[in-house]
Amino acid sequence: TDEHGDQVFSEIKGESVGPGNRIMGTIIGGTGRFAGVTGTYEFKWQYLIEAEEGVIQGRTVGLKGRARIGTPATAPAAGGPG
């Protein structure tokens, strides 16, 4: 979420949560100026702290990736070819 409230959404997957484990993400969309964004990224956890039940805080290292902001997908107009 940026300072204007626009957001980017992603799905992440990787090894189990722990220091040194590699995490990969796929950017699947966004709101506002990030509408239509796609991309990928990866990083490793340097350390993790369990702050509360189910809440994890940590530091990442080696963050790298690419993103492209495109035109948001729209539904086809009604009454089009069929």
Side-chain angles (χ1 to χ4, degrees):
T1 303
D2 72 6
E3 66 275 9
H4 305 289
D6 297 332
Q7 298 181 316
V8 173
F9 303 105
S10 68
E11 297 173 338
I12 61 174
K13 63 181 175 181
E15 301 167 2
S16 62
V17 176
N21 289 347
R22 185 172 156 206
I23 306 296
M24 295 163 285
T26 302
I27 300 169
I28 57 173
T31 63
R33 68 185 185 134
F34 301 120
V37 67
T38 58
T40 59
Y41 61 93
E42 66 179 66
F43 61 88
K44 287 187 178 185
W45 290 113
Q46 186 172 30
Y47 65 82
L48 295 169
I49 300 170
E50 187 169 349
E52 301 171 14
E53 185 177 325
V55 176
I56 298 173
Q57 297 179 355
R59 178 176 175 176
T60 64
V61 292
L63 174 63
K64 60 183 174 180
R66 298 181 149 215
R68 170 179 243 155
I69 296 180
T71 306
T74 58

